[in-house]
Amino acid sequence: QLQLQESGPGLVKPSETLSLTCTVSGGSISSSSYYWGWIRQPPGKGLEWIGSIYYSGTTYYNPSLKSRVTISVDTSKNQFSLKLSSVTAADTAVYYCARHVTGWYDPLDYWGQGTLVTVSS
Amino acid sequence: EIVLTQSPGTLSLSPGERATLSCRASQSVSSSYLAWYQQKPGQAPRLLIFGASSRATGIPDRFSGSGSGTDFTLTISRLEPEDFAVYYCQQYGSSPRTFGQGTKVEIK
Protein backbone atom coordinates (compact mmCIF):
# COMPACT_ATOMS: atom_id res chain seq x y z
CA GLN A 1 0.00 0.00 0.00
CA LEU A 2 1.48 3.30 -1.09
CA GLN A 3 1.93 5.84 1.70
CA LEU A 4 3.05 9.46 1.63
CA GLN A 5 4.23 11.38 4.67
CA GLU A 6 4.98 15.09 4.89
CA SER A 7 7.62 16.38 7.27
CA GLY A 8 9.12 19.73 8.13
CA PRO A 9 8.84 22.68 10.52
CA GLY A 10 5.36 23.59 11.68
CA LEU A 11 6.30 27.22 12.28
CA VAL A 12 8.11 29.52 9.86
CA LYS A 13 8.89 33.19 10.32
CA PRO A 14 7.69 35.79 7.81
CA SER A 15 10.12 36.41 4.92
CA GLU A 16 11.83 33.05 5.50
CA THR A 17 11.67 29.90 3.39
CA LEU A 18 9.21 27.10 4.07
CA SER A 19 10.74 23.67 3.45
CA LEU A 20 8.82 20.40 3.43
CA THR A 21 9.67 16.86 2.41
CA CYS A 22 7.37 14.08 1.31
CA THR A 23 8.60 10.55 1.92
CA VAL A 24 7.04 7.85 -0.24
CA SER A 25 6.83 4.28 1.04
CA GLY A 26 5.32 1.14 -0.42
CA GLY A 27 6.41 2.05 -3.92
CA SER A 28 9.20 3.68 -5.89
CA ILE A 29 9.01 7.37 -6.70
CA SER A 30 10.76 6.64 -9.99
CA SER A 31 8.51 3.83 -11.17
CA SER A 32 6.24 4.08 -14.20
CA SER A 33 5.20 7.57 -15.26
CA TYR A 34 3.91 8.94 -11.97
CA TYR A 35 3.92 12.62 -11.20
CA TRP A 36 4.03 13.83 -7.62
CA GLY A 37 2.42 17.00 -6.37
CA TRP A 38 2.05 19.53 -3.58
CA ILE A 39 -1.31 21.03 -2.66
CA ARG A 40 -2.17 23.38 0.18
CA GLN A 41 -5.30 24.35 2.10
CA PRO A 42 -5.50 27.46 4.29
CA PRO A 43 -7.47 26.85 7.50
CA GLY A 44 -11.18 26.65 6.73
CA LYS A 45 -10.65 27.27 3.01
CA GLY A 46 -10.34 25.36 -0.24
CA LEU A 47 -7.54 23.53 -2.03
CA GLU A 48 -4.78 25.12 -4.09
CA TRP A 49 -2.42 23.18 -6.34
CA ILE A 50 1.17 24.36 -5.85
CA GLY A 51 3.11 22.27 -8.32
CA SER A 52 4.10 18.79 -9.48
CA ILE A 53 7.25 16.93 -10.41
CA TYR A 54 8.30 13.84 -12.36
CA TYR A 55 11.14 11.67 -11.07
CA SER A 56 13.34 12.94 -13.90
CA GLY A 57 12.99 16.46 -12.49
CA THR A 58 10.41 17.88 -14.89
CA THR A 59 8.28 20.35 -12.97
CA TYR A 60 5.03 22.24 -13.37
CA TYR A 61 4.21 25.16 -11.07
CA ASN A 62 1.17 27.25 -10.34
CA PRO A 63 1.93 30.65 -11.95
CA SER A 64 0.56 32.40 -8.87
CA LEU A 65 3.42 30.91 -6.81
CA LYS A 66 6.02 30.16 -9.45
CA SER A 67 8.42 32.95 -8.52
CA ARG A 68 8.68 31.60 -4.96
CA VAL A 69 8.39 27.82 -5.39
CA THR A 70 10.94 25.10 -6.01
CA ILE A 71 10.00 21.41 -6.09
CA SER A 72 12.77 18.83 -6.27
CA VAL A 73 13.09 15.05 -6.13
CA ASP A 74 15.60 12.72 -4.50
CA THR A 75 15.08 9.26 -5.96
CA SER A 76 17.77 7.72 -3.74
CA LYS A 77 15.70 8.62 -0.68
CA ASN A 78 12.31 8.12 -2.39
CA GLN A 79 11.42 11.69 -1.47
CA PHE A 80 10.35 14.90 -3.08
CA SER A 81 10.50 18.34 -1.53
CA LEU A 82 8.88 21.77 -1.55
CA LYS A 83 10.55 25.09 -0.91
CA LEU A 84 8.47 28.27 -0.73
CA SER A 85 10.43 31.46 -0.23
CA SER A 86 9.51 34.86 1.24
CA VAL A 87 6.53 33.49 3.13
CA THR A 88 3.81 35.64 4.66
CA ALA A 89 0.82 34.90 6.86
CA ALA A 90 -1.13 34.13 3.67
CA ASP A 91 1.04 31.02 3.26
CA THR A 92 -0.29 29.52 6.50
CA ALA A 93 -1.97 26.31 5.45
CA VAL A 94 -2.09 22.55 5.66
CA TYR A 95 0.34 21.31 3.03
CA TYR A 96 -0.36 17.97 1.35
CA CYS A 97 1.81 15.87 -0.89
CA ALA A 98 0.05 13.53 -3.30
CA ARG A 99 0.52 11.27 -6.31
CA HIS A 100 -1.04 11.75 -9.71
CA VAL A 101 -2.85 8.52 -10.70
CA THR A 102 -0.31 7.92 -13.43
CA GLY A 103 0.82 10.86 -15.52
CA TRP A 104 0.54 14.62 -15.66
CA TYR A 105 -2.99 14.46 -17.10
CA ASP A 106 -4.36 12.62 -14.10
CA PRO A 107 -5.99 13.52 -10.78
CA LEU A 108 -4.49 12.78 -7.39
CA ASP A 109 -5.21 9.41 -5.83
CA TYR A 110 -2.82 8.94 -2.92
CA TRP A 111 -2.41 11.77 -0.42
CA GLY A 112 -0.34 12.32 2.67
CA GLN A 113 -2.13 13.20 5.89
CA GLY A 114 -1.07 16.83 5.56
CA THR A 115 1.05 19.03 7.77
CA LEU A 116 0.06 22.42 9.16
CA VAL A 117 2.57 25.17 8.57
CA THR A 118 2.00 28.42 10.38
CA VAL A 119 3.78 31.60 9.32
CA SER A 120 4.26 33.81 12.33
CA SER A 121 6.99 35.69 14.13
CA GLU B 1 -6.72 29.80 -15.63
CA ILE B 2 -9.94 27.79 -15.48
CA VAL B 3 -12.15 28.92 -12.60
CA LEU B 4 -14.45 26.27 -11.17
CA THR B 5 -17.61 27.43 -9.41
CA GLN B 6 -19.43 24.91 -7.24
CA SER B 7 -23.03 25.18 -6.15
CA PRO B 8 -24.67 25.19 -3.78
CA GLY B 9 -22.22 26.20 -1.09
CA THR B 10 -24.05 24.05 1.45
CA LEU B 11 -26.54 21.26 0.93
CA SER B 12 -28.67 20.23 3.93
CA LEU B 13 -30.12 16.77 3.46
CA SER B 14 -31.17 13.71 5.44
CA PRO B 15 -29.66 10.23 5.21
CA GLY B 16 -31.27 8.30 2.37
CA GLU B 17 -31.89 11.42 0.28
CA ARG B 18 -30.31 12.17 -3.09
CA ALA B 19 -27.59 14.80 -3.36
CA THR B 20 -26.86 16.71 -6.54
CA LEU B 21 -23.74 18.88 -6.62
CA SER B 22 -22.79 21.18 -9.48
CA CYS B 23 -19.42 22.31 -10.81
CA ARG B 24 -19.30 24.93 -13.57
CA ALA B 25 -16.09 25.83 -15.39
CA SER B 26 -15.21 29.26 -16.78
CA GLN B 27 -14.07 27.56 -20.01
CA SER B 28 -14.35 24.12 -21.47
CA VAL B 29 -12.51 21.38 -19.58
CA SER B 30 -10.52 19.46 -22.16
CA SER B 31 -11.20 15.76 -22.58
CA SER B 32 -13.48 15.82 -19.54
CA TYR B 33 -10.45 15.97 -17.28
CA LEU B 34 -12.67 16.63 -14.28
CA ALA B 35 -12.39 14.94 -10.89
CA TRP B 36 -14.38 14.97 -7.67
CA TYR B 37 -12.94 14.59 -4.18
CA GLN B 38 -14.50 14.07 -0.76
CA GLN B 39 -12.91 15.61 2.30
CA LYS B 40 -13.85 14.98 5.92
CA PRO B 41 -12.64 17.16 8.82
CA GLY B 42 -8.99 16.61 9.62
CA GLN B 43 -8.48 14.29 6.65
CA ALA B 44 -6.89 14.55 3.25
CA PRO B 45 -9.13 14.65 0.20
CA ARG B 46 -10.19 11.30 -1.26
CA LEU B 47 -10.55 10.80 -5.00
CA LEU B 48 -14.10 9.75 -5.93
CA ILE B 49 -14.54 10.39 -9.65
CA PHE B 50 -12.13 11.02 -12.54
CA GLY B 51 -12.70 11.62 -16.23
CA ALA B 52 -15.99 13.26 -15.20
CA SER B 53 -17.79 9.92 -14.77
CA SER B 54 -15.41 7.09 -13.82
CA ARG B 55 -15.40 5.94 -10.21
CA ALA B 56 -12.05 5.57 -8.52
CA THR B 57 -11.04 2.25 -7.00
CA GLY B 58 -13.22 1.23 -4.06
CA ILE B 59 -15.79 4.00 -4.47
CA PRO B 60 -19.39 2.82 -3.92
CA ASP B 61 -21.74 2.94 -6.89
CA ARG B 62 -24.05 5.39 -5.12
CA PHE B 63 -21.53 8.01 -6.29
CA SER B 64 -21.82 8.98 -9.94
CA GLY B 65 -20.46 11.79 -12.07
CA SER B 66 -21.70 13.28 -15.30
CA GLY B 67 -21.22 16.23 -17.59
CA SER B 68 -18.86 17.63 -20.18
CA GLY B 69 -17.57 20.93 -21.48
CA THR B 70 -18.30 23.45 -18.74
CA ASP B 71 -21.02 21.77 -16.68
CA PHE B 72 -20.44 18.81 -14.40
CA THR B 73 -22.49 17.07 -11.71
CA LEU B 74 -21.75 14.74 -8.83
CA THR B 75 -24.73 12.72 -7.66
CA ILE B 76 -24.97 10.67 -4.47
CA SER B 77 -28.02 8.50 -4.99
CA ARG B 78 -28.80 7.74 -1.34
CA LEU B 79 -26.83 9.51 1.35
CA GLU B 80 -25.18 7.33 3.95
CA PRO B 81 -24.07 8.81 7.30
CA GLU B 82 -20.42 8.66 6.19
CA ASP B 83 -21.15 10.78 3.08
CA PHE B 84 -21.62 14.02 4.99
CA ALA B 85 -18.49 15.93 4.08
CA VAL B 86 -17.12 18.63 1.78
CA TYR B 87 -16.84 17.84 -1.92
CA TYR B 88 -14.44 19.50 -4.35
CA CYS B 89 -14.24 19.37 -8.11
CA GLN B 90 -10.87 19.72 -9.87
CA GLN B 91 -9.88 20.16 -13.48
CA TYR B 92 -6.63 18.58 -14.58
CA GLY B 93 -6.71 19.27 -18.30
CA SER B 94 -4.93 22.58 -18.26
CA SER B 95 -2.38 24.34 -16.13
CA PRO B 96 -2.66 25.51 -13.48
CA ARG B 97 -4.70 22.68 -12.06
CA THR B 98 -7.61 24.30 -10.21
CA PHE B 99 -10.19 23.28 -7.64
CA GLY B 100 -13.68 24.52 -6.97
CA GLN B 101 -14.38 26.20 -3.65
CA GLY B 102 -16.25 23.18 -2.33
CA THR B 103 -19.80 22.13 -1.45
CA LYS B 104 -20.55 21.07 2.10
CA VAL B 105 -23.12 18.31 2.45
CA GLU B 106 -24.51 18.52 5.97
CA ILE B 107 -27.10 16.59 7.92
CA LYS B 108 -30.47 18.29 7.95
Side-chain angles (χ1 to χ4, degrees), chain A residues 62-81:
Chain A
N62 191 323
S64 68
L65 298 167
K66 187 174 183 177
S67 64
R68 299 193 291 131
V69 171
T70 302
I71 297 176
S72 59
V73 63
D74 186 337
T75 55
S76 67
K77 295 181 179 179
N78 227 31
Q79 297 175 334
F80 62 106
S81 299

Side-chain angles (χ1 to χ4, degrees), chain A residues 1 22 27 29 39 49 55 57 70 72-73 79 81-83 86 117 121:
Chain A
Q1 176 77 351
C22 182
I29 202 168
I39 303 92
W49 172 73
Y55 77 91
T70 302
S72 59
V73 63
Q79 297 175 334
S81 299
L82 168 70
K83 291 189 186 298
S86 304
V117 178
S121 55

Side-chain angles (χ1 to χ4, degrees), chain B residues 7-8 11 19-23 36 72-76 87 103 105:
Chain B
S7 60
L11 203 49
T20 303
L21 288 67
S22 173
C23 176
W36 291 92
F72 299 88
T73 300
L74 174 70
T75 302
I76 310 171
Y87 292 83
T103 290
V105 179

Side-chain angles (χ1 to χ4, degrees), chain A residues 41 49 96 104-105 107-108 112, chain B residues 37 39 43-45 88 93 97 99:
Chain A
Q41 184 172 36
W49 172 73
Y96 294 101
W104 172 229
Y105 287 97
L108 301 149
Chain B
Y37 299 84
Q39 187 178 35
Q43 296 185 16
Y88 294 95
R97 301 323 195 216
F99 292 87

Side-chain angles (χ1 to χ4, degrees), chain A residues 39 41 45-49 52 60-64 96 100-101 103-109 111-114, chain B residues 1 30 33 35 37 39 42-47 49-51 88 90 92-101:
Chain A
I39 303 92
Q41 184 172 36
K45 296 189 178 181
L47 300 161
E48 179 180 33
W49 172 73
S52 299
Y60 294 94
Y61 296 134
N62 191 323
S64 68
Y96 294 101
H100 292 254
V101 174
W104 172 229
Y105 287 97
D106 273 314
L108 301 149
D109 58 350
W111 294 64
Q113 64 185 26
Chain B
E1 171 175 326
S30 59
Y33 286 149
Y37 299 84
Q39 187 178 35
Q43 296 185 16
R46 172 193 181 197
L47 178 64
I49 300 287
F50 64 95
Y88 294 95
Q90 182 214 9
Y92 52 95
S94 67
S95 198
R97 301 323 195 216
T98 50
F99 292 87
Q101 83 280 16

